[in-house]
Amino acid sequence: KLNTQRADAPAPRHRRVDAVVVGAGFGGLYALHKLRSLGLEVQGFEAGSGVGGTWFWNRYPGARCDFESVEYSYSFSEELQQEWSWSERYAAQPEILRYINHVADRFDLRPLIRLNTRVVSAVFDRASALWRVTTDAGDTVEARYCVMASGNLSTTKFPDIAGRESFAGDCYHTGQWPAEGVDFTGLRVGVIGTGSSAIQVIPLVAQQAEHLVVFQRTPPYTLPARNRPVAPQEEQAWKRRYNEIREAAKRTISGIAAFCKPTQSALEVSEEERRTAYERHWGDGRTSITRVYNDLLVNEAANATVSKFVQDKVREIVKDPVVAEALVPRHFLGTRRVCLDTDYYETYNRANVTLVDIQRAPIEVITPDAVRTAEKEYPLDALIFATGFDAMTGTLLAIDIRTSDGVTLRDQWSAGPRTYLGLMTHGLPNIFFVTGPGSPSVLTNMILSIEQHVDWIAQCLADMERNGQALIEPELAAQDDWVDHVNGLAAKTLYPRANSWYLGTNVPGKPRVFMPYVGGAEAYRKVCDEVVADGYRGFAFG
Ligand code: N01
């Protein structure tokens, strides 16, 4: 029961525009708005039957944002942020999707978007300096610029487990959840995976299913979200301070004003002081625990203090000591995405929930009515794959992006993504990646990073139009230096020490490269601004 969320594709269209925007999630919608405001004619394409991107597809029970809504929202329009009200501290998927739809209407973006239409190729013709974009609905659109806002977590991934296709019960992927919802009442349900999606879906499915079996390979670190309704006074206070909050967010590593910018080492304070600080952050309901001290993500001994703190919490909450021990994460906290949950660990105290440690006894086969591990068979009526995405590069590489003289994105990125500033790749002129690999993107508040990238791209296009420049691409040397810088920074941290989708290790055969820029939102913005101030240093124009 995989949701493709597609209606019949509209009749094909052939036209010439100034810019194509691929994707109508947070990134694509803002790009459409911004580019249109420059006076450009823009064509948007969206594979789904509605706008929303991530929030359109990930409709599983419990899906909600793990950044507070006050920060995980657009800042580009004062009217928008004043008129919209968030009902919860961490908005759930339906509310975020309503917000995105409101934005599409409020800024009249729908006429710019072809829904139910997946871009399959983009070929740059050197002679005419135009991109020719084709879709699975048969459209061909020529454009001077392409803006890829196709998402970092938009290509779902299934595990290569023998017999997967033979399962006779209903199968779901959290990232392609049926819009009409699913009723698991009375069913024996299996969940494979224990990442951010799984920790949200598990507590809710456990409340419904007759029995839930969770197949866990790597235990995550997850902290209590402490979600709650937003009180009217709280909302008014936000709304008075919105500009201050947005500006403060820009001056942080994570792009979140509520996250402190650490100045101290974890090792220069007493154990008691550390414990008090960690308790405060555990009580706050944020993932900011990784930012309490400035060396938690670079120093093993410092990290051990915070990792142990959370590990002990797991042992305190989960009653069965064997189950608790299996749930205790072993990697350095923060090197894989830290999750926020509501009752995740508590769910394992329920009588109808079984945790299966597939690190110890791997899944051998999926049969028509069961999942069999090296130790035991688990009969199931339904199976949920919470197995993640071919992150950051998967969606871009699924599109045949090339030039007429044979430069292809797939070749350029064959050993891992290579970009200048995460924005563009050498050899491929006039095509921009919104929050692409080599930018802070998934390590930060995505909305802040999307706005920063789209603003940068829009300014760049406005400058090109004004200066009569038709082409832009990064110089090879600038790109090489940037890639070295991104890799060098990552290598100084603990991030590459854990397998994760940041490194592509969840996809067999994918090059092991740490893809996001770890230097933080503030430092990254400064570099981007300096590049512009320095006459677009590292870019060549034609
Ligand atoms: O995916 P994941 P996700 N056999 O890749 C397991 C964002 N997000 O959809 O770690 C068995 O994190 C895999 O095990 P392992 C957020 O950025 C945000 O949960 O490879 N298991 C892992 O446990 C997040 O990080 C929000 O050992 C297999 C799980 O499947 C990102 O999206 C909510 C397997 C995949 O976890 C992705 O999260 C949801 C196999 N062959 C998502 N293959 C919020 O804002 C994979 N697994 C709240």
Side-chain angles (χ1 to χ4, degrees), residues 412-464:
Q412 301 288 310
W413 288 12
S414 59
R418 298 188 75 79
T419 67
Y420 181 40
L421 301 173
L423 280 163
M424 297 190 83
T425 286
H426 174 73
L428 295 162
N430 293 13
I431 187 166
F432 299 87
F433 312 116
V434 176
T435 66
S439 76
S441 68
V442 292
L443 296 179
T444 61
N445 173 0
M446 283 303 290
I447 314 304
L448 176 130
S449 286
I450 281 169
E451 288 190 330
Q452 188 247 335
H453 258 190
V454 171
D455 288 344
W456 193 97
I457 294 165
Q459 182 182 349
C460 172
L461 298 189
D463 289 343
M464 286 175 69

Side-chain angles (χ1 to χ4, degrees), residues 140-395:
T140 351
V141 174
E142 287 181 332
R144 292 189 286 144
Y145 310 113
C146 267
V147 177
M148 306 304 292
S150 43
N152 280 302
L153 295 155
S154 45
T155 296
T156 51
K157 197 195 139 285
F158 287 88
D160 298 325
I161 299 175
R164 179 170 70 78
E165 305 276 351
S166 74
F167 187 71
D170 287 337
C171 270
Y172 306 92
H173 192 291
T174 45
Q176 277 174 277
W177 201 263
E180 65 276 16
V182 183
D183 183 2
F184 291 107
T185 308
L187 300 183
R188 297 163 304 174
V189 183
V191 174
I192 299 183
T194 49
S196 301
S197 304
I199 64 95
Q200 294 186 321
V201 83
I202 284 167
L204 291 179
V205 175
Q207 287 171 23
Q208 231 183 27
E210 181 191 298
H211 199 91
L212 176 66
V213 184
V214 178
F215 298 92
Q216 171 194 268
R217 191 163 64 182
T218 309
Y221 285 95
T222 167
L223 314 175
R226 309 199 191 281
N227 190 29
R228 52 178 161 70
V230 175
Q233 322 78 281
E234 190 181 1
E235 185 187 348
Q236 283 152 20
W238 282 353
K239 287 190 172 176
R240 277 195 300 274
R241 290 184 52 238
Y242 249 131
N243 283 345
E244 199 186 310
I245 295 170
R246 305 296 193 189
E247 287 308 310
K250 291 180 191 167
R251 293 191 299 272
T252 65
I253 295 169
S254 313
I256 303 168
F259 283 23
C260 47
K261 201 165 150 199
T263 51
Q264 258 186 323
S265 157
L267 304 177
E268 57 181 85
V269 300
S270 70
E271 195 179 331
E272 197 189 330
E273 191 178 327
R274 267 199 311 261
R275 188 165 179 88
T276 308
Y278 294 152
E279 279 292 357
R280 196 177 62 247
H281 282 260
W282 174 267
D284 263 1
R286 295 194 178 101
T287 54
S288 49
I289 204 157
T290 56
R291 301 286 174 208
V292 181
Y293 299 109
N294 61 15
D295 50 358
L296 293 179
L297 291 168
V298 293
N299 179 307
E300 284 185 27
N303 188 287
T305 63
V306 71
S307 293
K308 178 157 188 320
F309 173 82
V310 179
Q311 290 163 357
D312 287 346
K313 289 286 185 194
V314 180
R315 295 183 177 106
E316 273 169 36
I317 301 169
V318 180
K319 294 193 178 120
D320 180 328
V322 177
V323 177
E325 225 36 54
L327 285 167
V328 168
R330 308 288 164 186
H331 55 281
F332 293 113
L333 185 147
T335 53
R336 294 159 56 87
R337 179 71 137 66
V338 176
C339 311
L340 274 194
D341 72 87
T342 300
D343 294 339
Y344 178 68
Y345 292 123
E346 290 80 353
T347 295
Y348 293 95
N349 293 331
R350 295 175 67 104
N352 72 332
V353 176
T354 303
L355 179 72
V356 179
D357 180 352
I358 56 171
Q359 187 94 64
R360 201 167 49 77
I363 297 176
E364 287 185 336
V365 68
I366 297 178
T367 66
D369 59 359
V371 170
R372 195 164 70 224
T373 70
E375 261 176 18
K376 202 176 157 185
E377 182 162 279
Y378 298 88
L380 297 169
D381 304 305
L383 201 44
I384 299 172
F385 291 92
T387 43
F389 302 87
D390 183 351
M392 304 201 75
T393 56
T395 308

